[in-house]
Amino acid sequence: MVTPKDADPEIDRGAAAAEDAAKAPQIDPVEAAAEVILRRALDAAPDLKKALAAAGVAVVVQMPGAGWMGPVKTVWGRVVWPHSDVDQDGDSIKTPFWRFPAHHTAWVVYRRDGTQKDLSPGRGNAGVSAALSAGCPVVGFSPVPERHLPRDLMRVADLRIVIPPLDAAALAETLGVLTGTLPTAALSETLCRRIALEDLRLAWRPGTDANGYMGRLRRLLEAKAASTGVVLGQLHGMDEAVTWGMALVRDLAEYRRGVLPWSAVDRGVLLYGPPGTGKTTFAKALAGSCGVPLISGTLSQWQAAGYLNDLLKVMRAAFAEARAAAPAILFIDEIDSFGDRTRFTHDNKDYSIQVVNGLLEELDGIGGREGVVVIGACNHPGRLDPAITRSGRLDRTIAIPLPDQQALARILRHHLGGDLPEADLSKASLLALGGTGADCERWVRGARRRARHGGRDLVIDDVLDEIRGLQRARTADEAYRYAVHEAGHALVLVVEEPGALVSASIRQTADTQGGVVADRRDRKPVTRKEVAGRLRMLLAGRAAEEVVFGDVSTGSGGNASSDLAQATMLAAAALNAYGLDDGVDGLLWRGLPTPDTLPATLSLRPDMGAQVSAMLADGYAEAKDLIQRHRQELECIARLLVERETADGTEIEILVYGGEDGDAIATPP
């Protein structure tokens, strides 16, 4: 035979190899893995195989996750009952047991993971009795048998088989089945926990050996791990959430090994806090630390599907996806947008109620959510339907506060990476007080852009300039007025609630000319005295301006987050919802006011408006009196803010009360 001179022998050999691979029998890697973990479960109890051969045996098989039900069921026949070539869906059996056709080669199967809403433990029991009475074996597959399989099957089950998850040893054995060789290096258990069934197929190539497959699978899983971006140990300023997350990492690992029942695992949490504090980042970090998939959604995304039935369908699909990937984390952002059913008064009230009911059904309804941890995140937990945070649903609530100075320094360092390794970030973190983790990321990105556009290396001043932002030029008089205003708030906090002041600042932002940050998480119960104190603090900025300048600016008024709006809301709540009024109209709950409802309520209730106005007038007069008595301290704080832009609470307390760095000016209460 003559070979053409332009033929390439290597190409010919490659084509021959491809042809041989095409002729080779194709093995589904998922089915191969399913057979391995099934055989391992059977081998763990040698008497099982004999028991499974009995006529009319009833078997319950508990799966490591819903996704394994199909593959394990597929290999069940050839592994357990190789001479049976017929399997019948038990849920399709409608005939009474005395009319059930007895096929010696038939076996009846139930596959339930909770996604079929019409299949509950009360359904399918006639099929169980019909099959067993005819001598046919019955097997039920489910990740949560007690919750999903027919009740009669659970009652009469002769055997219960628990299928272990795919670990490193089972994966290596699977590769032996697929390739005829064993890998020289095992996959870590951490990466094994990240394996989704489709990953096993994505890593497969015809003709590959065990090491080639393992290398491809490892790269796939490492890329998946890297996509989470951050793990819990890298989060700062959310200690309570991280502590809870670390405990969940341990519990999920034990649950996967079969050591810990799902009933002992925290399966839901509500995270709340200001925008940008890292609630979404926490969910990603938790999934990364647990080595489990993260599925996410929002009500607005689900609403985009169309009408009510379409919305409910895609919402259920998100939960079904999480159940299929279990153990997994389902993250629902902006969960407060679901609202509270007791407050729905609009034309779409019935629609909104059904949406909330649909969410409640998925959280703990008939389908269950074995292996699925649900994390809800919101800015306003008070707008959430209380049923969503009931026990068994999102029954743990964790605040994600604004980060303190130390946390901000660590967050800035994280985002700077290898840049400015020796830089002192204390000034930057002090200036950043009141900012969020998302702000830190934006500031560092902007600082790098400044340096890049300037054709030079990054310097700390780039970071400081980004934190300051695009500032409008202030005159000295303007800066001092803003400083006096914020000093008024800070002074009242320091005098009346020592330790509560976190920082005061006149740093300009897109929305404000400054502000104070307070930490009241450990404050005493709210009484009439506490309400009066908070009113004084809220109105102290305006009072300080009047005391120092003889007139006031608009700095206390404006939108619903302004000082005056917050004070009005607090006074109205004390009168109408907290039971702290003087009892003139009797003790009565009239509802918690909201920024949307309060203006109309005050217009319709002049008597209530007069009471609220009187409370504000008293608080304002008391704030002015306090500031007049402590004017020297006020002006010291204001000068410090003009000089520094931002000062932390400890520094201001030392300035007011004295300490190692100064003489006492005021006397603590």
Short mmCIF file of all heavy atoms in Angstrom, two decimals, residues 547-570:
data_model
loop_
_atom_site.label_atom_id
_atom_site.label_comp_id
_atom_site.label_asym_id
_atom_site.label_seq_id
_atom_site.Cartn_x
_atom_site.Cartn_y
_atom_site.Cartn_z
N VAL A 547 -28.11 77.19 69.30
CA VAL A 547 -27.36 77.70 70.44
C VAL A 547 -26.11 78.45 69.98
O VAL A 547 -25.79 79.54 70.48
CB VAL A 547 -26.97 76.55 71.39
CG1 VAL A 547 -25.94 77.01 72.42
CG2 VAL A 547 -28.20 76.00 72.09
N VAL A 548 -25.39 77.90 69.00
CA VAL A 548 -24.11 78.48 68.58
C VAL A 548 -24.31 79.64 67.60
O VAL A 548 -23.65 80.68 67.69
CB VAL A 548 -23.21 77.40 67.96
CG1 VAL A 548 -21.94 78.03 67.36
CG2 VAL A 548 -22.83 76.37 69.02
N PHE A 549 -25.23 79.47 66.64
CA PHE A 549 -25.35 80.46 65.56
C PHE A 549 -26.57 81.38 65.70
O PHE A 549 -26.67 82.38 64.99
CB PHE A 549 -25.43 79.75 64.20
CG PHE A 549 -24.24 78.88 63.90
CD1 PHE A 549 -24.38 77.51 63.84
CD2 PHE A 549 -22.98 79.43 63.71
CE1 PHE A 549 -23.30 76.69 63.57
CE2 PHE A 549 -21.89 78.63 63.45
CZ PHE A 549 -22.04 77.25 63.38
N GLY A 550 -27.49 81.03 66.56
CA GLY A 550 -28.67 81.84 66.72
C GLY A 550 -29.75 81.57 65.70
O GLY A 550 -30.84 82.16 65.76
N ASP A 551 -29.50 80.71 64.74
CA ASP A 551 -30.51 80.29 63.77
C ASP A 551 -30.23 78.84 63.37
O ASP A 551 -29.27 78.24 63.85
CB ASP A 551 -30.54 81.21 62.54
CG ASP A 551 -29.24 81.13 61.73
OD1 ASP A 551 -28.29 80.45 62.20
OD2 ASP A 551 -29.17 81.74 60.65
N VAL A 552 -31.09 78.29 62.52
CA VAL A 552 -30.94 76.88 62.14
C VAL A 552 -30.93 76.74 60.63
O VAL A 552 -31.40 77.63 59.92
CB VAL A 552 -32.07 76.01 62.74
CG1 VAL A 552 -32.03 76.04 64.24
CG2 VAL A 552 -33.42 76.48 62.22
N SER A 553 -30.42 75.59 60.16
CA SER A 553 -30.42 75.27 58.73
C SER A 553 -31.43 74.16 58.47
O SER A 553 -32.13 73.71 59.39
CB SER A 553 -29.03 74.81 58.29
OG SER A 553 -28.74 73.53 58.84
N THR A 554 -31.48 73.71 57.24
CA THR A 554 -32.39 72.61 56.89
C THR A 554 -31.77 71.25 57.17
O THR A 554 -32.34 70.23 56.81
CB THR A 554 -32.75 72.68 55.39
OG1 THR A 554 -31.54 72.57 54.61
CG2 THR A 554 -33.45 73.98 55.06
N GLY A 555 -30.64 71.22 57.83
CA GLY A 555 -29.91 69.97 58.01
C GLY A 555 -30.65 68.91 58.79
O GLY A 555 -30.34 67.73 58.69
N SER A 556 -31.65 69.30 59.60
CA SER A 556 -32.40 68.31 60.38
C SER A 556 -33.61 67.76 59.65
O SER A 556 -34.20 66.78 60.09
CB SER A 556 -32.85 68.92 61.71
OG SER A 556 -31.76 69.11 62.56
N GLY A 557 -34.02 68.42 58.57
CA GLY A 557 -35.21 67.98 57.87
C GLY A 557 -34.90 67.32 56.55
O GLY A 557 -33.74 67.10 56.21
N GLY A 558 -35.94 66.99 55.80
CA GLY A 558 -35.73 66.38 54.49
C GLY A 558 -36.52 65.10 54.33
O GLY A 558 -37.72 65.05 54.62
N ASN A 559 -35.84 64.03 53.93
CA ASN A 559 -36.53 62.78 53.62
C ASN A 559 -36.80 61.96 54.88
O ASN A 559 -36.58 62.41 56.00
CB ASN A 559 -35.72 61.97 52.59
CG ASN A 559 -34.34 61.62 53.10
OD1 ASN A 559 -34.09 61.54 54.31
ND2 ASN A 559 -33.41 61.41 52.18
N ALA A 560 -37.25 60.71 54.65
CA ALA A 560 -37.67 59.87 55.77
C ALA A 560 -36.53 59.45 56.68
O ALA A 560 -36.77 58.96 57.79
CB ALA A 560 -38.38 58.62 55.24
N SER A 561 -35.28 59.63 56.24
CA SER A 561 -34.14 59.28 57.09
C SER A 561 -33.58 60.48 57.85
O SER A 561 -32.60 60.34 58.57
CB SER A 561 -33.03 58.64 56.24
OG SER A 561 -32.53 59.57 55.30
N SER A 562 -34.19 61.65 57.70
CA SER A 562 -33.69 62.86 58.35
C SER A 562 -33.94 62.80 59.85
O SER A 562 -34.73 62.01 60.36
CB SER A 562 -34.36 64.10 57.75
OG SER A 562 -35.75 64.11 58.07
N ASP A 563 -33.25 63.69 60.59
CA ASP A 563 -33.41 63.74 62.05
C ASP A 563 -34.86 63.99 62.45
O ASP A 563 -35.40 63.31 63.34
CB ASP A 563 -32.53 64.86 62.63
CG ASP A 563 -31.06 64.67 62.36
OD1 ASP A 563 -30.66 63.52 62.12
OD2 ASP A 563 -30.32 65.67 62.42
N LEU A 564 -35.49 64.98 61.82
CA LEU A 564 -36.85 65.33 62.18
C LEU A 564 -37.83 64.20 61.88
O LEU A 564 -38.75 63.92 62.67
CB LEU A 564 -37.27 66.61 61.45
CG LEU A 564 -38.65 67.19 61.82
CD1 LEU A 564 -38.73 67.48 63.32
CD2 LEU A 564 -38.92 68.45 61.01
N ALA A 565 -37.62 63.52 60.73
CA ALA A 565 -38.51 62.40 60.38
C ALA A 565 -38.36 61.26 61.38
O ALA A 565 -39.35 60.67 61.83
CB ALA A 565 -38.19 61.91 58.97
N GLN A 566 -37.13 60.94 61.75
CA GLN A 566 -36.91 59.86 62.71
C GLN A 566 -37.49 60.20 64.07
O GLN A 566 -38.08 59.34 64.75
CB GLN A 566 -35.42 59.57 62.84
CG GLN A 566 -34.79 58.96 61.60
CD GLN A 566 -33.34 58.58 61.84
OE1 GLN A 566 -33.03 57.74 62.68
NE2 GLN A 566 -32.43 59.23 61.12
N ALA A 567 -37.34 61.45 64.50
CA ALA A 567 -37.89 61.86 65.79
C ALA A 567 -39.41 61.78 65.77
O ALA A 567 -40.05 61.33 66.74
CB ALA A 567 -37.42 63.27 66.13
N THR A 568 -40.03 62.23 64.68
CA THR A 568 -41.48 62.17 64.56
C THR A 568 -41.97 60.73 64.58
O THR A 568 -42.97 60.39 65.24
CB THR A 568 -41.94 62.88 63.27
OG1 THR A 568 -41.43 64.22 63.26
CG2 THR A 568 -43.45 62.91 63.17
N MET A 569 -41.29 59.86 63.86
CA MET A 569 -41.66 58.43 63.84
C MET A 569 -41.56 57.83 65.23
O MET A 569 -42.44 57.07 65.67
CB MET A 569 -40.74 57.67 62.88
CG MET A 569 -40.99 57.94 61.41
SD MET A 569 -42.47 57.11 60.82
CE MET A 569 -41.95 55.42 61.03
N LEU A 570 -40.48 58.16 65.96
CA LEU A 570 -40.29 57.60 67.29
C LEU A 570 -41.38 58.07 68.25
O LEU A 570 -41.95 57.27 69.01
CB LEU A 570 -38.91 57.99 67.82
CG LEU A 570 -38.58 57.57 69.25
CD1 LEU A 570 -38.67 56.06 69.40
CD2 LEU A 570 -37.19 58.06 69.65
#
